[in-house]
Amino acid sequence: MMNMPPPAQDAAFCNSTGQTSPVGPETGLPVPRVERDLLGEVTIPPGALWGVHTKRALDNFPISGTTIGTFGELVQGLVTVKQAAARANLALGYLDPTRADAIDRACQIILENPAYRAQFVVDAMQGGAGTSTNMNANEVIANVALGLLGEKPGAYSVLHPNDHVNMAQSTNDVYPTALRLGLLLAVDPLVRALEGLHVALDEKAEAFGAILKVGRTQLRDAVPMTLGQEFGAFRTAIATEITSIKTHVTAFGQVNLGGTAIGTGLNTDPHYASTVMTELRSLTGRPMAISPDMIAATSDVGVFVLFSGVLKRLALKLSKMSSDLRLLSSGPRTGLGEIVLPAVQAGSSIMPGKVNPVIPEAVNQVAYLVAGHDMTITMCADGGQLQLNAFEPMIGYCLFTSIRILRAAIETLTTRCINGISADRARCQYLSDINIGIITALVPVLGYDTCSTIARRALAENRRVTDLIVAEKLLSPERLAALLQADALTGPNVGRQAG
């Protein structure tokens, strides 16, 4: 890890980030500094690496209590964009080597030390299309760079947040690019969590492969299947979502960096967009590319809407699976009880011995929140006007939050539930034996009407279908047993006829 040296001064207070603040001559304690903007003077607290524009945002947006620093991938995206821009501006001759090197090194220090995320303090829910987020990044990077140059925080005549850190940039191309890059980073651990769940489900599908059980449609008894087939279906659903996420996330590799305010590239060199993109690819190792229409890309948030839909579909599949697990484990005496979920905590403050399916319940609730975030993103996309969508901060908040809670829910479901599931073989066998739906397998042999009569009688007389068929001499016990073998009941079969 790179360490930032403190400024060359004797009377200095070094805070946890490595930056220094001036100290008062009488108390020896760090003192605030004053910064100015077009609205007037603002007092910045000691140790803060952010400045006046960030302070305005702190005052204006005490909304969610969730700072942009909470989303580490977004901070990485922002700082990486600034680093790429500094290198591009140096290569094109617009930024002198001393300042460019200081900004570059400052960005690398911030990227390598998660403690700096505490300086990204503005609320994730904000007006201004992300301007507060962009300025927070500009000011932190500038002040870290000033420390490298031996200057105090706020010495912007030496290195300025806007003139130098934000050179050839606008919030309107920086924020969307950082958002896309951050999402690319955030998706990687989500996919890994899904892959872990896929492995766990595959193991259960294999372990439960020979256990015959009742299939159900509309919460009514249906034809037989194996418990392994049921878990295999869960596994397939997760595999499909892994592929979908990997496919859709590639769209985030196309960005509008270099378009500045509305996509026209105002205040940039004609070669800036291609140069900064080369630097961005070099820094990230990802196939980042320039949008073919920068004006359209600056205002279009359709890629976020599509990806939000992918997350919602994943969430709903996880919720459906969790609901199925709750049903299959219901009981223990009066429910389906075909599987047993691991007991992770006491389930009731009044009923001794009760254990609830709390892990699947938590996953259900996460899914509902992700679905709500998808609706919020839909409304934000609809709210965009003319050359800009001002609501990308809320889009980012929803997407990063959805990814984070989905990943946590998936990891918890895998480790605290799926891995510990066991089958109640005796219960599965008992329910299979009394299942009236098994008569469906005999329709090709006995005919639909005869089977309907047998099913109705079995239900009315509380008898087994197999007992009635033998009693009525419709089939011999040997022929019936052959027709109702597990392999024949749980897969395709041909050549069935009476005999």
Side-chain angles (χ1 to χ4, degrees), residues 72-74 76-77 80 180-190 192 284 286:
E73 297 89 356
L74 177 58
Q76 285 182 268
T80 302
R180 285 164 170 79
L181 182 54
L183 290 169
L184 284 170
L185 295 170
V187 162
D188 290 343
L190 173 63
R192 288 195 294 271
T284 64
R286 296 176 184 268

Side-chain angles (χ1 to χ4, degrees), residues 213-214 216 227 328 336-340 423-424 427-428 431:
K213 58 153 287 176
V214 179
R216 298 176 180 87
L227 191 58
L328 292 171
L336 300 184
E338 293 177 340
I339 63 174
V340 180
D424 189 330
R427 178 66 174 172
C428 288
L431 293 176

Side-chain angles (χ1 to χ4, degrees), residues 132-186:
S132 298
T133 294
N134 187 36
M135 288 304 303
N136 193 166
N138 289 334
E139 290 172 342
V140 171
I141 294 168
N143 282 313
V144 173
L146 284 168
L148 291 170
L149 296 174
E151 300 288 344
K152 298 178 182 179
Y156 299 144
S157 61
V158 177
L159 191 150
H160 198 279
N162 294 73
D163 294 338
H164 303 121
V165 180
N166 198 62
M167 180 183 287
Q169 303 156 61
S170 164
T171 294
N172 301 345
D173 65 339
V174 167
Y175 188 87
T177 301
L179 183 53
R180 285 164 170 79
L181 182 54
L183 290 169
L184 284 170
L185 295 170

Side-chain angles (χ1 to χ4, degrees), residues 78-403:
L78 285 164
V79 176
T80 302
V81 167
K82 299 296 178 180
Q83 190 174 27
R87 293 184 179 186
N89 286 318
L90 172 64
L92 294 170
Y94 293 96
L95 193 59
D96 64 272
T98 300
R99 290 190 177 98
D101 178 67
I103 294 171
D104 196 332
R105 290 169 59 201
C107 289
Q108 194 62 37
I109 290 167
I110 294 169
L111 289 171
E112 294 179 355
N113 188 348
Y116 282 94
R117 294 175 191 170
Q119 295 289 336
F120 290 79
V121 293
V122 300
D123 200 291
M125 295 185 186
Q126 57 188 256
T131 297
S132 298
T133 294
N134 187 36
M135 288 304 303
N136 193 166
N138 289 334
E139 290 172 342
V140 171
I141 294 168
N143 282 313
V144 173
L146 284 168
L148 291 170
L149 296 174
E151 300 288 344
K152 298 178 182 179
Y156 299 144
S157 61
V158 177
L159 191 150
H160 198 279
N162 294 73
D163 294 338
H164 303 121
V165 180
N166 198 62
M167 180 183 287
Q169 303 156 61
S170 164
T171 294
N172 301 345
D173 65 339
V174 167
Y175 188 87
T177 301
L179 183 53
R180 285 164 170 79
L181 182 54
L183 290 169
L184 284 170
L185 295 170
V187 162
D188 290 343
L190 173 63
V191 170
R192 288 195 294 271
L194 281 169
E195 290 170 342
L197 176 59
H198 181 269
V199 169
L201 291 170
D202 184 62
E203 291 173 352
K204 293 301 175 183
E206 181 69 22
F208 300 155
I211 301 175
L212 193 66
K213 58 153 287 176
V214 179
R216 298 176 180 87
T217 58
Q218 295 168 274
L219 294 180
R220 309 293 287 181
D221 300 344
V223 299
M225 65 186 305
T226 69
L227 191 58
Q229 287 176 320
E230 193 156 33
F231 275 78
F234 296 153
R235 173 193 59 203
T236 299
I238 297 304
T240 300
E241 295 311 299
I242 292 172
T243 300
S244 179
I245 289 173
K246 289 181 176 180
T247 299
H248 284 84
V249 77
T250 58
F252 292 139
Q254 194 172 90
V255 298
N256 70 326
L257 189 60
T260 64
I262 63 171
T264 61
L266 181 67
N267 288 351
T268 66
D269 185 280
H271 302 289
Y272 173 77
S274 60
T275 304
V276 76
M277 202 57 55
T278 298
E279 297 294 348
L280 197 61
R281 285 192 291 268
S282 175
L283 287 166
T284 64
R286 296 176 184 268
M288 310 301 290
I290 301 172
S291 297
D293 187 330
M294 299 280 259
I295 293 176
T298 301
S299 62
D300 184 12
V301 297
V303 65
F304 300 128
V305 176
L306 287 174
F307 191 70
S308 177
V310 171
L311 294 180
K312 181 177 74 171
R313 190 176 78 165
L314 166 62
L316 296 181
K317 285 191 178 183
L318 289 169
S319 183
K320 193 270 183 187
M321 181 172 67
S322 296
S323 295
D324 286 354
L325 294 176
R326 291 165 59 200
L327 285 170
L328 292 171
S329 65
S330 58
R333 294 287 177 84
T334 60
L336 300 184
E338 293 177 340
I339 63 174
V340 180
L341 304 186
V344 295
Q345 66 182 58
S348 175
S349 62
I350 188 174
M351 292 176 280
K354 191 171 188 289
V355 178
N356 293 330
V358 293
I359 303 300
E361 288 171 350
V363 176
N364 285 134
Q365 292 172 82
V366 165
Y368 305 154
L369 183 56
V370 171
H373 285 165
D374 179 68
M375 176 54 70
T376 300
I377 290 169
T378 299
M379 300 306 295
C380 287
D382 178 66
Q385 299 163 329
L386 303 176
Q387 279 68 60
L388 184 67
N389 188 302
F391 307 126
E392 284 191 0
M394 181 60 75
I395 291 174
Y397 172 87
C398 289
L399 287 175
F400 281 116
T401 302
S402 289
I403 290 172

